[in-house]
Amino acid sequence: GENVEQHPSTLSVQEGDSAVIKCTYSDSASNYFPWYKQELGKRPQLIIDIRSNVGEKKDQRIAVTLNKTAKHFSLHITETQPEDSAVYFCAASIGSGGGADGLTFGKGTHLIIQP
Amino acid sequence: DAGVIQSPRHEVTEMGQEVTLRCKPISGHDYLFWYRQTMMRGLELLIYFNNNVPIDDSGMPEDRFSAKMPNASFSTLKIQPSEPRDSAVYFCASSRTGGNQPQHFGDGTRLSIL
């Protein structure tokens, strides 16, 4: 089955700096890569996703890049703010045709924004 | 729009008791997923349904776990008998049909087995 590795497990950055979280996956058939943000005691919330036919996607201060050859994808957050502090999860899934598949998650990155 | 609704939000029960978790997906979503989150194992898929039919239950840990989806607006995850190692947060998520549509999570059920 699919295996997703995520690094680092903890990331501390100064407010205003950029943060980068990296993930690798094992199954070359995976074609959908979402990122979720989870605050303490809350549900995971989708912040951005990318499909395998796209190399990069950006939404305001958040961007995701995908390298299918190397089987890795990354989350980039620019101009970090205190409210960005949370645990971030990457995930991968194989969706064939019009269907969907369950997500395989990385172990999470605890992002700490230092004031 | 109402999101994914789970109940109860918290459940504390003694070992050996039956536990039933409930989920109402977003209206119009054809896929429903059950996930479990623990510190040790992170977020892991237990089972998912498409149009009320179970598609992949390979993540269900043991025969003590069962899940049903009797109609498009309701699903249950049952543990019988429960054990302390089942303590976790159980999330339900749903998505539309159409090639990897985003999965939207409910607020979860925090389960504690004493």
Side-chain angles (χ1 to χ4, degrees), chain B residues 67-108:
Chain B
K68 294 182 179 180
M69 192 163 185
N71 58 63
S73 59
F74 183 65
S75 177
T76 60
L77 179 66
K78 190 171 293 188
I79 309 172
Q80 167 63 19
S82 58
E83 296 183 3
R85 59 193 167 122
D86 302 330
S87 297
V89 181
Y90 290 80
F91 288 103
C92 176
S94 70
S95 72
R96 296 180 188 278
T97 295
N100 283 318
Q101 294 298 312
Q103 294 184 23
H104 300 272
F105 282 70
D107 288 331

Side-chain angles (χ1 to χ4, degrees), chain A residues 31-32 36 38 41-44 46 49 51 89 93-107, chain B residues 9 31 33 35 37 40-45 48 56 91 95-107 110:
Chain A
N31 58 12
Y32 176 63
Y36 285 83
Q38 187 177 30
K42 301 288 184 63
R43 61 189 168 92
L46 180 72
D49 58 9
R51 290 169 177 78
F89 293 94
S93 77
I94 303 166
S96 56
D101 196 10
L103 296 171
T104 300
F105 284 89
K107 287 290 192 285
Chain B
R9 290 295 312 279
Y31 283 85
F33 306 83
Y35 292 91
Q37 186 173 35
M40 289 297 294
R41 299 176 65 89
L43 270 162
E44 51 182 347
L45 176 70
Y48 76 93
D56 182 358
F91 288 103
S95 72
R96 296 180 188 278
T97 295
N100 283 318
Q101 294 298 312
Q103 294 184 23
H104 300 272
F105 282 70
D107 288 331
R110 183 172 296 276

Side-chain angles (χ1 to χ4, degrees), chain A residues 74-96:
Chain A
S74 301
L75 177 71
H76 304 252
I77 305 174
T78 58
E79 301 172 14
T80 53
Q81 300 169 4
E83 54 264 37
D84 295 330
S85 294
V87 179
Y88 290 80
F89 293 94
C90 63
S93 77
I94 303 166
S96 56

Side-chain angles (χ1 to χ4, degrees), chain A residues 28-62:
Chain A
S28 57
S30 289
N31 58 12
Y32 176 63
F33 308 92
W35 287 86
Y36 285 83
K37 175 183 180 182
Q38 187 177 30
E39 297 176 354
L40 189 63
K42 301 288 184 63
R43 61 189 168 92
Q45 288 194 291
L46 180 72
I47 56 171
I48 196 167
D49 58 9
I50 192 168
R51 290 169 177 78
S52 60
N53 58 345
V54 176
E56 183 174 358
K57 184 176 178 180
K58 190 173 181 180
D59 182 4
Q60 299 183 329
R61 295 186 298 108
I62 294 173

